Amino acid sequence: MKRIYLDHAATSPVAPAVVEEMMPYYKEAFGNPSSIHHFGREARRGLDSARESISSAINARFDEIIFTSGGTESDNLAVIGYATAHKEKGRHLITTEIEHHGILHAFEYLETQGFEVTYLAVDESGRITVEQVKQALREDTIFVSVMFGNNEVGTVQPIFGIGRLLTDHTAVFHTDAVQAFGMEEIDVRKLNVDMMSVSAHKINGPKGIGFLYLKAGLSVSPALYGGEQERKRRAGTENVAAVAGMKKAVQLTLDKRIQKRETYEKYRDIILNTFEEQDLTFYVNGSSDDRMPHILNVSFPGANVESMLTNLDIAGVAVSSGSACTAGSVQPSHVLSAMFPDDPERSQSAIRFSFGEGLTEEDVLYAAKQTANTVKRLVKQQEVAHDGTSKKST
């Protein structure tokens, strides 16, 4: 049976060119980049080359890139690292209700340490406004974190406007760009962001590697204590092979960014057109205008999300209920709950399709038809069960 992977927002397959780029650092240039001998210098050369390439890709400086283990560590280093290092300046922080758990749980921890957090509510499209940020700002606000693009519904936030607003305030601005990187145009200078988190495994790079852009002149308290790697900001021997892989993944994804956007818009249309042709009742979750093209979140009233995921997997179609961090336990999405607080079924019947490398239009069409068949069957079963219960009650 052919299996179709439509869960690229959770993780993506590593590109063959990325694997090839990594291999020399496992075989020949395997030295510790802190060592001064030949093997160490070769590893250091690879590390510096990657830092230069990645910093250039986002219009940052060489020394503004901190290599981490991925998005969660980058988020934690930004949020907790900055707040704890600058608590004497103020203890008020701002974020949104629909951030990734790598952000939300970091803020929740800071609340136990005496910080006050304002969680901005979103509208039904999953978006906040610049005005909301403006209204929430106080003299003691030191940090604002708003994700670039949401990992569950794909909605893009007004990052440029927020960045421009905060140029007149002392608060620093962080954005989690894990899902947006490679999809949206990102220039940290034009966006006026002070920090930005990125993870390689969302863009066909290896797992366990990412980076935090940290604007020159800003400081954070380190989360790890040990050596002086990453300019004393992140202790531990650098994962040079993974860094090299991330460098290649960044190059590949940015080279094909426009092409990918166009392709994924076609995939989205194929799925939605199929649902309409099959006369399904469904609701698209997220903004129709301000969105990333590779994420499509749809609710099917009357169909249970866990049953849909199981049946689609049996049919060879891999999708998800939203955040990969709740995999294994299908719980209501905090994102959809924030968007539709008075409509719990919107979350209980929602699945996420996310596109990436290796898919074809035929794959997507097959997956759409299998989804339509599954939803029809489950909704009919639910109706029959409901009718049976109603007859018994009478």
Side-chain angles (χ1 to χ4, degrees), residues 210-258:
F211 70 85
L212 173 68
Y213 157 71
L214 178 67
K215 187 176 181 179
L218 298 179
S219 61
V220 293
S221 296
L224 302 173
Y225 293 89
E228 299 185 357
Q229 293 88 352
E230 298 302 294
R231 291 178 171 80
K232 300 182 180 181
R233 299 172 299 189
R234 203 273 187 179
T237 302
E238 295 93 342
N239 187 347
V240 183
V243 168
M246 178 166 62
K247 168 193 170 183
K248 188 64 175 180
V250 168
Q251 293 171 343
L252 292 173
T253 196
L254 295 184
D255 285 347
K256 297 187 290 184
R257 188 180 72 85
I258 302 301

Side-chain angles (χ1 to χ4, degrees), residues 164-227:
R164 186 167 52 187
L165 169 71
L166 293 176
T167 57
D168 297 324
H169 195 281
T170 56
V172 302
F173 182 28
H174 166 261
T175 186
D176 178 332
V178 168
Q179 289 294 341
F181 191 83
M183 285 291 119
E184 304 298 315
E185 183 177 357
I186 294 179
D187 180 321
V188 294
R189 305 300 179 202
K190 292 180 180 179
L191 292 171
N192 288 308
V193 295
D194 300 299
M195 303 184 199
M196 182 177 73
S197 302
V198 175
S199 182
H201 78 102
K202 307 293 188 179
I203 56 171
N204 304 105
K207 295 178 179 64
I209 191 69
F211 70 85
L212 173 68
Y213 157 71
L214 178 67
K215 187 176 181 179
L218 298 179
S219 61
V220 293
S221 296
L224 302 173
Y225 293 89

